[in-house]
Amino acid sequence: MKRALPYILSFSLLAYLIIVLTFAKTKLQTVKCKGLQVTVDNKRENAFVEEEDIRKVIKRHYGELQDLHVALVDKDSMEHVLARNAGVKSAEVYYDLNGYLHIDIVQRRPVLRVMADRGYYVDEEGRVMSLSGKYTSRVVVATGHVSKEFACGGLYRFVMGLRKDKFWDALVEQIVVERGDEIILIPKVGNFRIVLGTLEGIDRKMANLRLFFEEGIALKGWNTYKEINLKFDNQIVCVKR
């Protein structure tokens, strides 16, 4: 009997689940849509997507859903349509037994704004993201000769590294890209520029720069130099005002 007990419990649980799912499916065939419940994540940090935008998209593609049987709603189609929005990372559509259609939206998060061509963002996954006419995200700005290949490749990885470090994330405001994918940093404080050159050996360059900030600028002041150059191996060349 003891050996058979686990099998009996498993069979009972399976039978219970079948009954519940059958009931739910039968119930949904009779439930009519009472309305939409739209949830957009991260609204305080980003505002690329608003609840009203989602409602308008649903209405434009599917018309009025009020009083429509929820079982007739094509959830997969809705998720695909909503995911085409430039600011949407993912969309999940589901309904409950009370008749409400739930739409959960996860916004894309930009990490870099490129001010070249028509301008665009690069999101946290390294993909190009269109600008918004309603909202501007406060992220590092890249200007100059910025190709999309570099923006979504080496520059994206460099910016993600900055974001993981509180010191650099708070300091760097702008990245100027010169020909040959050489970069110059413009800090938020102080009236100087930081010439890094290419991203080759960037970890070493940033470590040397941090040490210079801690032992050099901290003692001499933020307005002592107009340029700090780390292009050359194992040395920092500074130009005074």
mmCIF file of all heavy atoms in Angstrom, residues 10-50:
data_model
loop_
_atom_site.group_PDB
_atom_site.id
_atom_site.type_symbol
_atom_site.label_atom_id
_atom_site.label_comp_id
_atom_site.label_asym_id
_atom_site.label_seq_id
_atom_site.Cartn_x
_atom_site.Cartn_y
_atom_site.Cartn_z
ATOM 1 N N SER A 10 -0.384 10.907 -7.397
ATOM 2 C CA SER A 10 -0.066 11.498 -8.701
ATOM 3 C C SER A 10 -1.263 11.401 -9.637
ATOM 4 O O SER A 10 -1.585 12.371 -10.352
ATOM 5 C CB SER A 10 1.131 10.778 -9.328
ATOM 6 O OG SER A 10 2.282 10.930 -8.528
ATOM 7 N N PHE A 11 -1.923 10.257 -9.643
ATOM 8 C CA PHE A 11 -3.103 10.080 -10.497
ATOM 9 C C PHE A 11 -4.222 11.028 -10.077
ATOM 10 O O PHE A 11 -4.896 11.635 -10.922
ATOM 11 C CB PHE A 11 -3.585 8.626 -10.423
ATOM 12 C CG PHE A 11 -4.828 8.373 -11.228
ATOM 13 C CD1 PHE A 11 -4.758 8.203 -12.607
ATOM 14 C CD2 PHE A 11 -6.073 8.325 -10.604
ATOM 15 C CE1 PHE A 11 -5.916 7.982 -13.355
ATOM 16 C CE2 PHE A 11 -7.224 8.106 -11.335
ATOM 17 C CZ PHE A 11 -7.146 7.934 -12.718
ATOM 18 N N SER A 12 -4.407 11.177 -8.750
ATOM 19 C CA SER A 12 -5.454 12.066 -8.252
ATOM 20 C C SER A 12 -5.175 13.519 -8.641
ATOM 21 O O SER A 12 -6.079 14.257 -9.040
ATOM 22 C CB SER A 12 -5.557 11.952 -6.723
ATOM 23 O OG SER A 12 -5.873 10.629 -6.346
ATOM 24 N N LEU A 13 -3.905 13.920 -8.531
ATOM 25 C CA LEU A 13 -3.529 15.282 -8.893
ATOM 26 C C LEU A 13 -3.735 15.518 -10.387
ATOM 27 O O LEU A 13 -4.248 16.568 -10.796
ATOM 28 C CB LEU A 13 -2.060 15.531 -8.527
ATOM 29 C CG LEU A 13 -1.497 16.917 -8.885
ATOM 30 C CD1 LEU A 13 -2.281 18.013 -8.179
ATOM 31 C CD2 LEU A 13 -0.019 17.004 -8.519
ATOM 32 N N LEU A 14 -3.364 14.529 -11.200
ATOM 33 C CA LEU A 14 -3.548 14.647 -12.646
ATOM 34 C C LEU A 14 -5.019 14.766 -12.997
ATOM 35 O O LEU A 14 -5.418 15.598 -13.826
ATOM 36 C CB LEU A 14 -2.923 13.441 -13.351
ATOM 37 C CG LEU A 14 -3.061 13.404 -14.874
ATOM 38 C CD1 LEU A 14 -2.380 14.620 -15.495
ATOM 39 C CD2 LEU A 14 -2.458 12.119 -15.429
ATOM 40 N N ALA A 15 -5.826 13.957 -12.345
ATOM 41 C CA ALA A 15 -7.271 14.001 -12.601
ATOM 42 C C ALA A 15 -7.860 15.346 -12.188
ATOM 43 O O ALA A 15 -8.707 15.921 -12.890
ATOM 44 C CB ALA A 15 -7.957 12.870 -11.832
ATOM 45 N N TYR A 16 -7.370 15.860 -11.068
ATOM 46 C CA TYR A 16 -7.846 17.169 -10.593
ATOM 47 C C TYR A 16 -7.497 18.272 -11.588
ATOM 48 O O TYR A 16 -8.326 19.134 -11.903
ATOM 49 C CB TYR A 16 -7.225 17.454 -9.224
ATOM 50 C CG TYR A 16 -7.495 18.854 -8.713
ATOM 51 C CD1 TYR A 16 -8.747 19.192 -8.176
ATOM 52 C CD2 TYR A 16 -6.504 19.838 -8.777
ATOM 53 C CE1 TYR A 16 -8.993 20.477 -7.722
ATOM 54 C CE2 TYR A 16 -6.750 21.120 -8.325
ATOM 55 C CZ TYR A 16 -7.998 21.429 -7.794
ATOM 56 O OH TYR A 16 -8.244 22.704 -7.353
ATOM 57 N N LEU A 17 -6.254 18.233 -12.087
ATOM 58 C CA LEU A 17 -5.818 19.249 -13.045
ATOM 59 C C LEU A 17 -6.627 19.181 -14.329
ATOM 60 O O LEU A 17 -6.991 20.212 -14.905
ATOM 61 C CB LEU A 17 -4.328 19.076 -13.354
ATOM 62 C CG LEU A 17 -3.359 19.427 -12.222
ATOM 63 C CD1 LEU A 17 -1.929 19.090 -12.614
ATOM 64 C CD2 LEU A 17 -3.465 20.906 -11.859
ATOM 65 N N ILE A 18 -6.923 17.974 -14.778
ATOM 66 C CA ILE A 18 -7.725 17.812 -15.994
ATOM 67 C C ILE A 18 -9.115 18.399 -15.802
ATOM 68 O O ILE A 18 -9.651 19.100 -16.670
ATOM 69 C CB ILE A 18 -7.809 16.324 -16.388
ATOM 70 C CG1 ILE A 18 -6.427 15.824 -16.841
ATOM 71 C CG2 ILE A 18 -8.837 16.122 -17.495
ATOM 72 C CD1 ILE A 18 -6.388 14.331 -17.106
ATOM 73 N N ILE A 19 -9.695 18.145 -14.633
ATOM 74 C CA ILE A 19 -11.040 18.664 -14.349
ATOM 75 C C ILE A 19 -11.028 20.191 -14.296
ATOM 76 O O ILE A 19 -11.885 20.865 -14.872
ATOM 77 C CB ILE A 19 -11.561 18.089 -13.007
ATOM 78 C CG1 ILE A 19 -11.795 16.591 -13.141
ATOM 79 C CG2 ILE A 19 -12.847 18.798 -12.581
ATOM 80 C CD1 ILE A 19 -12.129 15.910 -11.827
ATOM 81 N N VAL A 20 -10.007 20.763 -13.618
ATOM 82 C CA VAL A 20 -9.911 22.220 -13.498
ATOM 83 C C VAL A 20 -9.707 22.871 -14.857
ATOM 84 O O VAL A 20 -10.356 23.867 -15.198
ATOM 85 C CB VAL A 20 -8.760 22.607 -12.547
ATOM 86 C CG1 VAL A 20 -8.488 24.110 -12.609
ATOM 87 C CG2 VAL A 20 -9.089 22.190 -11.118
ATOM 88 N N LEU A 21 -8.807 22.310 -15.661
ATOM 89 C CA LEU A 21 -8.536 22.881 -16.979
ATOM 90 C C LEU A 21 -9.732 22.770 -17.903
ATOM 91 O O LEU A 21 -10.025 23.679 -18.682
ATOM 92 C CB LEU A 21 -7.315 22.192 -17.607
ATOM 93 C CG LEU A 21 -5.974 22.469 -16.921
ATOM 94 C CD1 LEU A 21 -4.866 21.621 -17.534
ATOM 95 C CD2 LEU A 21 -5.623 23.947 -17.021
ATOM 96 N N THR A 22 -10.429 21.660 -17.794
ATOM 97 C CA THR A 22 -11.645 21.484 -18.612
ATOM 98 C C THR A 22 -12.709 22.497 -18.221
ATOM 99 O O THR A 22 -13.359 23.102 -19.083
ATOM 100 C CB THR A 22 -12.196 20.059 -18.447
ATOM 101 O OG1 THR A 22 -11.197 19.109 -18.835
ATOM 102 C CG2 THR A 22 -13.436 19.860 -19.324
ATOM 103 N N PHE A 23 -12.837 22.708 -16.917
ATOM 104 C CA PHE A 23 -13.809 23.689 -16.428
ATOM 105 C C PHE A 23 -13.442 25.089 -16.895
ATOM 106 O O PHE A 23 -14.296 25.865 -17.346
ATOM 107 C CB PHE A 23 -13.864 23.657 -14.898
ATOM 108 C CG PHE A 23 -14.650 24.786 -14.299
ATOM 109 C CD1 PHE A 23 -16.034 24.776 -14.304
ATOM 110 C CD2 PHE A 23 -13.991 25.887 -13.747
ATOM 111 C CE1 PHE A 23 -16.759 25.832 -13.753
ATOM 112 C CE2 PHE A 23 -14.699 26.936 -13.212
ATOM 113 C CZ PHE A 23 -16.091 26.912 -13.215
ATOM 114 N N ALA A 24 -12.135 25.419 -16.778
ATOM 115 C CA ALA A 24 -11.689 26.750 -17.184
ATOM 116 C C ALA A 24 -11.911 26.981 -18.672
ATOM 117 O O ALA A 24 -12.354 28.056 -19.093
ATOM 118 C CB ALA A 24 -10.212 26.923 -16.837
ATOM 119 N N LYS A 25 -11.618 25.958 -19.483
ATOM 120 C CA LYS A 25 -11.806 26.100 -20.932
ATOM 121 C C LYS A 25 -13.271 26.272 -21.275
ATOM 122 O O LYS A 25 -13.639 27.104 -22.106
ATOM 123 C CB LYS A 25 -11.241 24.862 -21.638
ATOM 124 C CG LYS A 25 -11.299 24.953 -23.152
ATOM 125 C CD LYS A 25 -10.654 23.739 -23.791
ATOM 126 C CE LYS A 25 -10.711 23.842 -25.314
ATOM 127 N NZ LYS A 25 -10.073 22.648 -25.954
ATOM 128 N N THR A 26 -14.123 25.508 -20.613
ATOM 129 C CA THR A 26 -15.558 25.630 -20.851
ATOM 130 C C THR A 26 -16.071 26.983 -20.401
ATOM 131 O O THR A 26 -16.889 27.620 -21.081
ATOM 132 C CB THR A 26 -16.313 24.512 -20.097
ATOM 133 O OG1 THR A 26 -15.800 23.240 -20.508
ATOM 134 C CG2 THR A 26 -17.810 24.587 -20.388
ATOM 135 N N LYS A 27 -15.554 27.447 -19.250
ATOM 136 C CA LYS A 27 -15.962 28.738 -18.714
ATOM 137 C C LYS A 27 -15.569 29.869 -19.644
ATOM 138 O O LYS A 27 -16.359 30.788 -19.907
ATOM 139 C CB LYS A 27 -15.304 28.924 -17.343
ATOM 140 C CG LYS A 27 -15.540 30.289 -16.693
ATOM 141 C CD LYS A 27 -16.972 30.473 -16.255
ATOM 142 C CE LYS A 27 -17.138 31.771 -15.482
ATOM 143 N NZ LYS A 27 -18.545 32.027 -15.125
ATOM 144 N N LEU A 28 -14.333 29.805 -20.197
ATOM 145 C CA LEU A 28 -13.848 30.870 -21.068
ATOM 146 C C LEU A 28 -14.653 30.986 -22.353
ATOM 147 O O LEU A 28 -14.754 32.058 -22.940
ATOM 148 C CB LEU A 28 -12.370 30.638 -21.406
ATOM 149 C CG LEU A 28 -11.373 30.955 -20.298
ATOM 150 C CD1 LEU A 28 -9.971 30.542 -20.697
ATOM 151 C CD2 LEU A 28 -11.396 32.440 -19.962
ATOM 152 N N GLN A 29 -15.229 29.881 -22.804
ATOM 153 C CA GLN A 29 -16.022 29.922 -24.026
ATOM 154 C C GLN A 29 -17.302 30.731 -23.861
ATOM 155 O O GLN A 29 -17.923 31.128 -24.841
ATOM 156 C CB GLN A 29 -16.335 28.493 -24.470
ATOM 157 C CG GLN A 29 -15.114 27.728 -24.958
ATOM 158 C CD GLN A 29 -15.428 26.287 -25.299
ATOM 159 O OE1 GLN A 29 -16.495 25.762 -24.980
ATOM 160 N NE2 GLN A 29 -14.488 25.610 -25.961
ATOM 161 N N THR A 30 -17.650 30.985 -22.613
ATOM 162 C CA THR A 30 -18.885 31.741 -22.357
ATOM 163 C C THR A 30 -18.601 33.137 -21.808
ATOM 164 O O THR A 30 -19.511 33.958 -21.725
ATOM 165 C CB THR A 30 -19.769 30.988 -21.353
ATOM 166 O OG1 THR A 30 -19.081 30.875 -20.099
ATOM 167 C CG2 THR A 30 -20.106 29.596 -21.876
ATOM 168 N N VAL A 31 -17.339 33.402 -21.432
ATOM 169 C CA VAL A 31 -16.994 34.694 -20.830
ATOM 170 C C VAL A 31 -16.771 35.737 -21.921
ATOM 171 O O VAL A 31 -16.074 35.494 -22.901
ATOM 172 C CB VAL A 31 -15.730 34.571 -19.960
ATOM 173 C CG1 VAL A 31 -15.275 35.941 -19.462
ATOM 174 C CG2 VAL A 31 -15.989 33.649 -18.779
ATOM 175 N N LYS A 32 -17.362 36.904 -21.721
ATOM 176 C CA LYS A 32 -17.189 38.001 -22.661
ATOM 177 C C LYS A 32 -16.193 39.017 -22.094
ATOM 178 O O LYS A 32 -16.083 39.181 -20.888
ATOM 179 C CB LYS A 32 -18.530 38.677 -22.938
ATOM 180 C CG LYS A 32 -19.515 37.795 -23.705
ATOM 181 C CD LYS A 32 -20.783 38.558 -24.036
ATOM 182 C CE LYS A 32 -21.752 37.682 -24.831
ATOM 183 N NZ LYS A 32 -22.994 38.419 -25.174
ATOM 184 N N CYS A 33 -15.516 39.697 -22.996
ATOM 185 C CA CYS A 33 -14.491 40.658 -22.594
ATOM 186 C C CYS A 33 -15.129 41.882 -21.935
ATOM 187 O O CYS A 33 -16.010 42.528 -22.506
ATOM 188 C CB CYS A 33 -13.677 41.085 -23.811
ATOM 189 S SG CYS A 33 -12.352 42.245 -23.423
ATOM 190 N N LYS A 34 -14.666 42.197 -20.738
ATOM 191 C CA LYS A 34 -15.169 43.366 -20.015
ATOM 192 C C LYS A 34 -14.282 44.597 -20.204
ATOM 193 O O LYS A 34 -14.684 45.705 -19.864
ATOM 194 C CB LYS A 34 -15.287 43.040 -18.526
ATOM 195 C CG LYS A 34 -16.348 41.998 -18.204
ATOM 196 C CD LYS A 34 -16.416 41.767 -16.707
ATOM 197 C CE LYS A 34 -17.471 40.720 -16.363
ATOM 198 N NZ LYS A 34 -17.523 40.462 -14.899
ATOM 199 N N GLY A 35 -13.067 44.381 -20.709
ATOM 200 C CA GLY A 35 -12.170 45.516 -20.892
ATOM 201 C C GLY A 35 -10.707 45.089 -20.863
ATOM 202 O O GLY A 35 -10.393 43.906 -20.709
ATOM 203 N N LEU A 36 -9.819 46.072 -21.017
ATOM 204 C CA LEU A 36 -8.388 45.818 -21.026
ATOM 205 C C LEU A 36 -7.746 46.268 -19.721
ATOM 206 O O LEU A 36 -8.111 47.292 -19.154
ATOM 207 C CB LEU A 36 -7.710 46.575 -22.182
ATOM 208 C CG LEU A 36 -8.161 46.268 -23.604
ATOM 209 C CD1 LEU A 36 -7.364 47.119 -24.584
ATOM 210 C CD2 LEU A 36 -8.000 44.802 -23.932
ATOM 211 N N GLN A 37 -6.780 45.504 -19.268
ATOM 212 C CA GLN A 37 -5.952 45.879 -18.131
ATOM 213 C C GLN A 37 -4.514 45.947 -18.639
ATOM 214 O O GLN A 37 -3.873 44.922 -18.872
ATOM 215 C CB GLN A 37 -6.075 44.851 -16.997
ATOM 216 C CG GLN A 37 -7.472 44.725 -16.416
ATOM 217 C CD GLN A 37 -7.816 45.908 -15.514
ATOM 218 O OE1 GLN A 37 -6.949 46.656 -15.099
ATOM 219 N NE2 GLN A 37 -9.089 46.054 -15.212
ATOM 220 N N VAL A 38 -4.010 47.175 -18.860
ATOM 221 C CA VAL A 38 -2.691 47.369 -19.447
ATOM 222 C C VAL A 38 -1.683 47.749 -18.365
ATOM 223 O O VAL A 38 -1.922 48.665 -17.578
ATOM 224 C CB VAL A 38 -2.718 48.454 -20.538
ATOM 225 C CG1 VAL A 38 -1.319 48.634 -21.143
ATOM 226 C CG2 VAL A 38 -3.726 48.100 -21.623
ATOM 227 N N THR A 39 -0.564 47.051 -18.339
ATOM 228 C CA THR A 39 0.509 47.345 -17.397
ATOM 229 C C THR A 39 1.802 47.581 -18.169
ATOM 230 O O THR A 39 2.217 46.738 -18.964
ATOM 231 C CB THR A 39 0.713 46.176 -16.413
ATOM 232 O OG1 THR A 39 -0.515 45.918 -15.718
ATOM 233 C CG2 THR A 39 1.799 46.519 -15.400
ATOM 234 N N VAL A 40 2.413 48.745 -17.934
ATOM 235 C CA VAL A 40 3.692 49.077 -18.570
ATOM 236 C C VAL A 40 4.745 49.182 -17.483
ATOM 237 O O VAL A 40 4.589 49.962 -16.539
ATOM 238 C CB VAL A 40 3.609 50.401 -19.365
ATOM 239 C CG1 VAL A 40 4.958 50.719 -20.001
ATOM 240 C CG2 VAL A 40 2.523 50.323 -20.434
ATOM 241 N N ASP A 41 5.813 48.405 -17.604
ATOM 242 C CA ASP A 41 6.837 48.414 -16.554
ATOM 243 C C ASP A 41 7.741 49.635 -16.666
ATOM 244 O O ASP A 41 7.794 50.311 -17.686
ATOM 245 C CB ASP A 41 7.698 47.144 -16.647
ATOM 246 C CG ASP A 41 8.786 47.267 -17.713
ATOM 247 O OD1 ASP A 41 8.513 47.870 -18.768
ATOM 248 O OD2 ASP A 41 9.899 46.754 -17.492
ATOM 249 N N ASN A 42 8.435 49.944 -15.597
ATOM 250 C CA ASN A 42 9.519 50.937 -15.610
ATOM 251 C C ASN A 42 9.077 52.311 -16.111
ATOM 252 O O ASN A 42 9.824 52.990 -16.806
ATOM 253 C CB ASN A 42 10.668 50.405 -16.486
ATOM 254 C CG ASN A 42 11.982 51.106 -16.190
ATOM 255 O OD1 ASN A 42 12.219 51.511 -15.062
ATOM 256 N ND2 ASN A 42 12.811 51.260 -17.190
ATOM 257 N N LYS A 43 7.877 52.744 -15.755
ATOM 258 C CA LYS A 43 7.361 54.017 -16.267
ATOM 259 C C LYS A 43 8.090 55.221 -15.684
ATOM 260 O O LYS A 43 8.125 56.281 -16.304
ATOM 261 C CB LYS A 43 5.861 54.117 -15.984
ATOM 262 C CG LYS A 43 5.007 53.175 -16.817
ATOM 263 C CD LYS A 43 3.534 53.444 -16.661
ATOM 264 C CE LYS A 43 3.061 53.071 -15.275
ATOM 265 N NZ LYS A 43 1.591 53.213 -15.131
ATOM 266 N N ARG A 44 8.651 55.079 -14.504
ATOM 267 C CA ARG A 44 9.344 56.210 -13.887
ATOM 268 C C ARG A 44 10.679 56.487 -14.557
ATOM 269 O O ARG A 44 11.072 57.641 -14.725
ATOM 270 C CB ARG A 44 9.553 55.928 -12.394
ATOM 271 C CG ARG A 44 8.259 55.922 -11.594
ATOM 272 C CD ARG A 44 8.531 55.771 -10.112
ATOM 273 N NE ARG A 44 7.306 55.818 -9.335
ATOM 274 C CZ ARG A 44 7.264 55.721 -8.000
ATOM 275 N NH1 ARG A 44 8.393 55.586 -7.313
ATOM 276 N NH2 ARG A 44 6.109 55.760 -7.362
ATOM 277 N N GLU A 45 11.372 55.435 -14.948
ATOM 278 C CA GLU A 45 12.678 55.615 -15.581
ATOM 279 C C GLU A 45 12.537 55.930 -17.060
ATOM 280 O O GLU A 45 13.254 56.762 -17.603
ATOM 281 C CB GLU A 45 13.518 54.344 -15.405
ATOM 282 C CG GLU A 45 14.910 54.457 -16.003
ATOM 283 C CD GLU A 45 15.720 53.194 -15.815
ATOM 284 O OE1 GLU A 45 15.329 52.351 -14.986
ATOM 285 O OE2 GLU A 45 16.734 53.030 -16.493
ATOM 286 N N ASN A 46 11.639 55.242 -17.737
ATOM 287 C CA ASN A 46 11.423 55.449 -19.171
ATOM 288 C C ASN A 46 9.948 55.685 -19.443
ATOM 289 O O ASN A 46 9.084 55.166 -18.737
ATOM 290 C CB ASN A 46 11.890 54.236 -19.975
ATOM 291 C CG ASN A 46 13.394 54.083 -19.964
ATOM 292 O OD1 ASN A 46 14.122 55.059 -20.075
ATOM 293 N ND2 ASN A 46 13.863 52.863 -19.811
ATOM 294 N N ALA A 47 9.684 56.454 -20.480
ATOM 295 C CA ALA A 47 8.288 56.729 -20.844
ATOM 296 C C ALA A 47 8.116 56.664 -22.355
ATOM 297 O O ALA A 47 7.454 57.487 -22.957
ATOM 298 C CB ALA A 47 7.863 58.095 -20.312
ATOM 299 N N PHE A 48 8.747 55.655 -22.966
ATOM 300 C CA PHE A 48 8.619 55.492 -24.409
ATOM 301 C C PHE A 48 7.257 54.917 -24.781
ATOM 302 O O PHE A 48 6.754 55.137 -25.876
ATOM 303 C CB PHE A 48 9.723 54.570 -24.934
ATOM 304 C CG PHE A 48 11.085 55.182 -24.878
ATOM 305 C CD1 PHE A 48 11.980 54.839 -23.881
ATOM 306 C CD2 PHE A 48 11.478 56.118 -25.819
ATOM 307 C CE1 PHE A 48 13.243 55.404 -23.829
ATOM 308 C CE2 PHE A 48 12.734 56.698 -25.772
ATOM 309 C CZ PHE A 48 13.605 56.345 -24.777
ATOM 310 N N VAL A 49 6.684 54.154 -23.876
ATOM 311 C CA VAL A 49 5.394 53.511 -24.135
ATOM 312 C C VAL A 49 4.423 53.883 -23.023
ATOM 313 O O VAL A 49 4.747 53.766 -21.847
ATOM 314 C CB VAL A 49 5.540 51.976 -24.191
ATOM 315 C CG1 VAL A 49 4.198 51.333 -24.507
ATOM 316 C CG2 VAL A 49 6.583 51.574 -25.225
ATOM 317 N N GLU A 50 3.238 54.333 -23.405
ATOM 318 C CA GLU A 50 2.198 54.665 -22.441
ATOM 319 C C GLU A 50 1.005 53.722 -22.625
ATOM 320 O O GLU A 50 0.812 53.148 -23.700
ATOM 321 C CB GLU A 50 1.756 56.119 -22.616
ATOM 322 C CG GLU A 50 2.877 57.126 -22.356
ATOM 323 C CD GLU A 50 2.423 58.560 -22.553
ATOM 324 O OE1 GLU A 50 1.256 58.756 -22.956
ATOM 325 O OE2 GLU A 50 3.233 59.475 -22.324
#
